[in-house]
Amino acid sequence: MNPNPLRLSFNAVWLLPAVILVQQVAAQYSPRPAFSGKAGKTLTTSVPGRTVFNPLAPKKAPNILYIMLDDVGFGASSAFGGLIETPVFDSLADNGLRFTNFHTTAICSPSRASLLTGRNHHSVNVATVIDAAVDYPGHNGYMPFEKATIAEIALENGYNTFAVGKWHITPTPDITPAGPFNRWPTGRGFERFYGFLAGETDEYTPMLWENNNKIEPDLQGKQLTTVLADKAIEYIAGQKSAAPDKPFLLYFTPGATHGPHQVEQEWIDKYKGRFDKGWDWYRSAVLERQKKLGIVPANVTLPPPNPGVKAWDSLTATEKKIFTRFFEAYAGFLSQTDFEVGRVISYLKEIGQLNNTIVVLIIGDNGASKEGGLTGHANSINEYIDKSLFTEDYQERIRDIEKQYDDIGTSRAGANYPEGWAQAANTPFRYLKQDANSEGGTRNPLIIFYPDGIRERGIRRQYSHINSVTPTVIDLAALKVPQQIKGYQQDSLEGISVAYTIKQPDAPDRHHVQYYEIGGGRAIYKDGWKAAVYHVQGTPFEHDRWSLFNLTKDFNEQVDLAAKEPAKLNELVALFDLEAAKYNVYPLLGDTSLRAYFQLTKGPFDLRRQAVLYPGLTQLPARAAPLLLLHSFSIEADVESGSQALSGALLALGGRFNGFSFYVQNGKLEAAHNKNGKIDYLKSDVPIPSGRSKLRFVLMYNNAKNLTDPAGTEALFINDQKVAERPITKADAYIMPYDEGLDVGRDNASSVVPVYRAPFAFTGKLHTVTINY
């Protein structure tokens, strides 16, 4: 590892930016190209044609590199005034343009859908995280083919197209071995894909796919971001070897710095002791740096702390100790990500491709994450999903996390920092990821770097949105947008290109109106004014109160003008309603705290109540698998054994931080629940007989309010004989692990429980596993 700053130098011939109007042309691809030669009866009497079977890019067409990070706040990286060292990002910014008034949607899937299509996120049916899509227009998660991705457009312009890293916009019910695959990356214009389909994955035991195939990679101890950078370089090397003059589009989205925050120890050690002064000090220090860089106006002050965040000086010594460790791990993760991005950038420079590459760097698909709660967590995102993060006793959580202090940031923990550090990483804004009403949720750094096309340097302050990126790249690369792609008539782009700002740093804004909505939180922007409402999940919308801000005078939303400017507020609220109707924003989500399951988009397992599964099924995401969450079900394994004692997993769902396993150990039947690191076992003392047997697990669920409340029973059966039983709590029945999926006949990736070691393949003959649910 060489964490020293990467200093980029360029010997570029400076050209004016290729800024054009988006052209509408006929689709270039034709399945029956015209033959220009002559076909005689023999080769000697024939003249070969010069048929162009594939689109050809113009000579010297630029490569396109989209880089988007995850859950990085506005004030985290040093490129935008943060105290976390990102020398590669700094260099790209210093040799390109910083956009300081750039906005995302406030959460991951919608931002990615908007980025790739150049449209608003409801317009492409991605209203929230794809896992929670509901069956309404604008919300169902199925991105229309009438709204092409930048990859589909690039293919029509003669590009090769690659996606490496996080995807998270394939409808979750479609992530099965049966597909359909038309909305996987390879179905939306990317010729090659290597990465993960969910919102996050473990950095050392990831759920990975290559193209449409689930793979079980051995990372050989490497961290995932390193492996993704390796794969990106591999794709570029192969493409430029085979077709050196052909441009490529690379969508590089490593998933960093979303939880779990896991990185090599040396990166954590780099920041040892550097944040001991705490998050209040960090906010003040970063604001001063941002002012010196010209990132924020000189008159900006810090807003009050977010609700629930304590003053650093009021914390106990134990709280300060563990909270500091969380941020040291996060900072190391971000610096390591910068380093791995630098490897890709350095490779392009090494092969002579960097100057002719449009690099779009988006430092975060939303603001810093609130998913660590007030204490942070050391196990997994399931602590946030099942709400144990908020319902468990605060002091008890602090004691438990202290026991895991040395593991925080390593592969041994699934860490995410507390909200106090998220607030600091979002300096100078209030609120966080998911808060679509706030600049803290939606304002992220954008850097555009293109040596051969952009000579200008500095800061651009014009208003822009993530739907602006693809229109901008279309302008810079002079791409032609066909009227039809794959037979689908194309709808108009909705984002506003910012290419006009390159040579006109003081040009008036062209992006005049933009709505925001995530989970009922919403806002509407118009020409410097913004109306916004924070919505509390699970409460009626009639309780919401709109605020009004003049962002031209109030950079970070500290002065609510709703009472003083009622006419302006009413104007903007009415405008939100118009935009919502136009883009299918309604119905608003968030009047119920948990989406009713019957409203979610349906997959193959959702349409029946029995599933017969076969060995070889591996890492099927829990949301795409038979539902085991908070209801009664049974699992029956049809097995056959000889004289030796059986062992191995029959069905496993999840991994070392959260999950459920039904397995055989030393010839005896067992089941286990891993509840964010707390494990309960159900064990039989009765040996499994030789020959053919039916092994069954039955969970009988009674509705319960709290995770610790009694919620029924579970039992084990061998050939209909009950061999074990115990009472369960609601936490036992909360079976929906996020980071690892369902395996049959083995437990791939990491083990659900420490009493066996993955993959723990079943040693007998497993015919089928039948789930009744």
Side-chain angles (χ1 to χ4, degrees):
M1 182 196 73
N2 176 18
N4 293 326
L6 169 67
R7 303 313 304 173
L8 306 178
S9 61
F10 310 104
N11 296 311
V13 177
W14 300 109
L15 302 176
L16 295 179
V19 179
I20 63 164
L21 296 175
V22 175
Q23 300 181 43
Q24 295 289 334
V25 297
Q28 295 180 20
Y29 172 70
S30 170
R32 232 175 244 182
F35 177 61
S36 59
K38 175 186 176 183
K41 288 186 177 182
T42 66
L43 283 177
T44 56
T45 61
S46 301
V47 178
R50 296 184 177 181
T51 308
V52 178
F53 292 96
N54 299 300
L56 294 177
K59 289 185 177 181
K60 297 185 179 180
N63 307 305
I64 301 167
L65 173 56
Y66 280 15
I67 305 169
M68 183 158 68
L69 274 59
D70 204 325
D71 287 6
V72 186
F74 190 85
S77 76
S78 54
F80 274 65
L83 303 186
I84 301 174
E85 295 175 12
T86 53
V88 176
F89 301 167
D90 296 352
S91 185
L92 292 172
D94 292 343
N95 291 280
L97 296 174
R98 287 176 172 90
F99 291 79
T100 62
N101 200 1
F102 173 76
H103 297 77
T104 56
T105 69
I107 203 165
C108 45
S109 300
S111 287
R112 290 159 199 274
S114 184
L115 168 65
L116 286 171
T117 64
R119 278 92 171 183
N120 288 311
H121 61 106
H122 290 87
S123 184
V124 291
N125 294 327
V126 185
T128 184
V129 287
I130 203 77
D131 320 77
V134 292
D135 192 2
Y136 298 99
H139 297 72
N140 58 46
Y142 286 81
M143 290 169 48
F145 296 110
E146 292 81 1
K147 301 175 191 289
T149 68
I150 182 62
E152 290 166 324
I153 294 169
L155 276 180
E156 294 285 336
N157 283 265
Y159 279 64
N160 283 127
T161 56
F162 313 125
V164 176
K166 173 174 171 175
W167 182 247
H168 207 207
I169 46 175
T170 294
T172 312
D174 290 1
I175 305 176
T176 76
F181 301 104
N182 56 350
R183 286 183 172 86
W184 290 48
T186 54
R188 292 312 311 252
F190 289 101
E191 296 168 301
R192 304 186 74 180
F193 167 65
Y194 183 93
F196 57 101
L197 299 174
E200 69 166 47
T201 195
D202 193 282
E203 294 290 323
Y204 289 92
T205 56
M207 286 178 62
L208 289 184
W209 281 261
E210 185 150 24
N211 301 322
N212 298 339
N213 301 312
K214 182 70 189 69
I215 57 175
E216 299 300 333
D218 178 3
L219 302 189
Q220 299 180 335
K222 289 185 179 180
Q223 198 258 11
L224 178 59
T225 309
T226 301
V227 173
L228 295 176
D230 289 344
K231 183 60 70 170
I233 291 170
E234 175 190 322
Y235 282 174
I236 295 169
Q239 190 260 357
K240 287 300 178 186
S241 297
D245 296 327
K246 187 174 184 178
F248 67 81
L249 163 70
L250 171 61
Y251 178 63
F252 184 62
T253 54
T257 54
H258 197 291
H261 300 157
Q262 298 169 319
V263 73
E264 293 95 339
Q265 186 68 47
E266 58 192 302
W267 289 103
I268 303 171
D269 292 344
K270 173 183 172 71
Y271 287 98
K272 186 67 177 175
R274 288 171 61 172
F275 304 116
D276 288 354
K277 295 179 184 178
W279 49 57
D280 296 324
W281 160 82
Y282 182 98
R283 293 175 78 204
S284 297
V286 168
L287 180 60
E288 290 308 306
R289 286 172 56 88
Q290 289 173 333
K291 290 179 179 179
K292 288 178 181 178
L293 284 171
I295 301 295
V296 307
N299 64 346
V300 170
T301 59
L302 289 173
N306 292 331
V309 176
K310 298 178 183 179
W312 184 262
D313 289 343
S314 72
L315 300 177
T316 66
T318 300
E319 288 173 313
K320 289 178 179 178
K321 171 187 171 184
I322 64 173
F323 291 169
T324 300
R325 170 71 177 206
F326 273 120
F327 202 60
E328 290 169 354
Y330 176 78
F333 192 12
L334 181 55
S335 284
Q336 182 251 9
T337 303
D338 174 88
F339 176 81
E340 297 300 342
V341 169
R343 289 178 54 225
V344 177
I345 297 296
S346 293
Y347 182 73
L348 290 173
K349 184 170 184 286
E350 178 186 334
I351 64 173
Q353 292 292 325
L354 183 59
N355 286 352
N356 193 38
T357 298
I358 302 169
V359 179
V360 177
L361 171 61
I362 303 170
I363 307 179
D365 53 358
N366 42 245
S369 172
K370 64 173 68 175
E371 290 155 10
L374 295 177
T375 62
H377 64 68
N379 287 304
S380 75
I381 196 173
N382 272 84
E383 295 187 69
Y384 177 80
I385 294 171
D386 67 18
K387 305 303 179 188
S388 58
L389 185 62
F390 310 106
T391 57
E392 292 178 350
D393 179 76
Y394 179 90
Q395 294 302 333
E396 184 177 341
R397 286 190 58 80
I398 294 296
R399 287 191 291 270
D400 287 344
I401 294 170
E402 186 183 19
K403 295 175 185 176
Q404 297 173 272
Y405 174 84
D406 289 333
D407 293 338
I408 293 171
T410 73
S411 62
R412 301 184 301 276
N416 201 340
Y417 56 35
E419 286 188 33
W421 282 118
Q423 171 184 269
N426 265 357
T427 302
F429 302 111
R430 286 194 81 191
Y431 302 116
L432 305 165
K433 172 185 177 179
Q434 302 184 35
D435 298 329
N437 57 294
S438 71
E439 297 293 291
T442 62
R443 197 181 290 214
N444 284 91
L446 169 66
I447 296 166
I448 299 181
F449 166 92
Y450 177 22
D452 279 356
I454 301 176
R455 182 174 183 175
E456 291 72 16
R457 300 288 176 264
I459 291 174
R460 299 296 181 267
R461 296 183 172 84
Q462 289 85 353
Y463 187 92
S464 59
H465 186 265
I466 198 161
N467 62 25
S468 306
V469 172
T470 283
T472 302
V473 168
I474 288 170
D475 278 357
L476 293 176
L479 301 180
K480 297 178 180 179
V481 182
Q483 293 176 346
Q484 290 188 357
I485 294 179
K486 298 179 182 177
Y488 293 93
Q489 190 72 22
Q490 291 299 298
D491 294 341
S492 299
L493 296 169
E494 294 162 5
I496 306 298
S497 169
V498 296
Y500 73 95
T501 71
I502 293 171
K503 297 192 72 63
Q504 303 177 71
D506 299 318
D509 288 6
R510 294 185 184 178
H511 196 138
H512 300 291
V513 174
Q514 182 61 51
Y515 82 89
Y516 298 85
E517 193 277 336
I518 297 292
R522 52 208 189 275
I524 183 73
Y525 169 90
K526 182 183 179 184
D527 292 331
W529 286 89
K530 179 178 174 183
V533 58
Y534 177 83
H535 178 74
V536 178
Q537 291 287 303
T539 64
F541 287 103
E542 298 79 51
H543 296 172
D544 290 349
R545 188 186 72 83
W546 287 83
S547 297
L548 178 68
F549 303 102
N550 183 346
L551 296 181
T552 59
K553 299 179 180 179
D554 181 16
F555 183 80
N556 53 358
E557 302 175 304
Q558 295 195 59
V559 182
D560 184 356
L561 300 173
K564 291 185 178 180
E565 300 275 1
K568 175 60 73 173
L569 178 63
N570 291 337
E571 172 196 338
L572 290 179
V573 172
L575 179 59
F576 178 87
D577 194 55
L578 291 173
E579 294 292 290
K582 181 178 179 181
Y583 294 112
N584 288 325
V585 176
Y586 295 136
L588 297 176
L589 308 180
D591 49 350
T592 58
S593 58
L594 185 67
R595 313 277 189 268
Y597 184 74
F598 73 89
Q599 292 185 326
L600 298 178
T601 51
K602 300 297 187 290
F605 291 108
D606 298 321
L607 302 177
R608 58 186 191 267
R609 287 295 171 259
Q610 184 183 80
V612 180
L613 310 178
Y614 299 93
L617 178 65
T618 178
Q619 291 294 284
L620 181 67
R623 170 67 185 87
L627 183 72
L628 305 183
L629 174 69
L630 298 179
H631 70 98
S632 300
F633 65 90
S634 68
I635 304 172
E636 183 173 279
D638 181 359
V639 306
E640 197 170 345
S641 66
S643 58
Q644 292 188 337
L646 295 173
S647 67
L650 300 167
L651 180 144
L653 179 60
R656 67 188 185 279
F657 299 126
N658 188 281
F660 167 80
S661 183
F662 179 41
Y663 61 97
V664 179
Q665 182 88 296
N666 299 320
K668 296 176 181 178
L669 192 59
E670 300 184 9
H673 299 266
N674 183 335
K675 299 166 289 187
N676 305 323
K678 300 173 183 177
I679 303 174
D680 284 318
Y681 295 92
L682 176 64
K683 298 184 178 183
S684 164
D685 291 328
V686 179
I688 298 170
S690 60
R692 196 147 184 175
S693 299
K694 301 285 188 181
L695 310 179
R696 189 155 45 101
F697 170 86
V698 177
L699 186 146
M700 301 299 294
Y701 178 68
N702 297 326
N703 193 35
K705 181 179 180 182
N706 302 308
L707 290 174
T708 55
D709 290 347
T713 62
E714 63 183 15
L716 298 174
F717 295 82
I718 300 175
N719 295 326
D720 295 326
Q721 177 189 352
K722 185 185 292 185
V723 293
E725 186 175 30
R726 77 175 184 97
I728 62 170
T729 64
K730 182 178 180 179
D732 293 307
Y734 207 105
I735 304 173
M736 184 61 78
Y738 194 80
D739 285 349
E740 294 187 33
L742 182 147
D743 302 306
V744 176
R746 58 200 297 119
D747 184 358
N748 276 359
S750 68
S751 306
V752 172
V753 288
V755 297
Y756 62 73
R757 185 174 180 179
F760 199 46
F762 186 63
T763 58
K765 174 69 173 177
L766 177 59
H767 294 281
T768 59
V769 171
T770 301
I771 306 178
N772 291 289
Y773 54 102

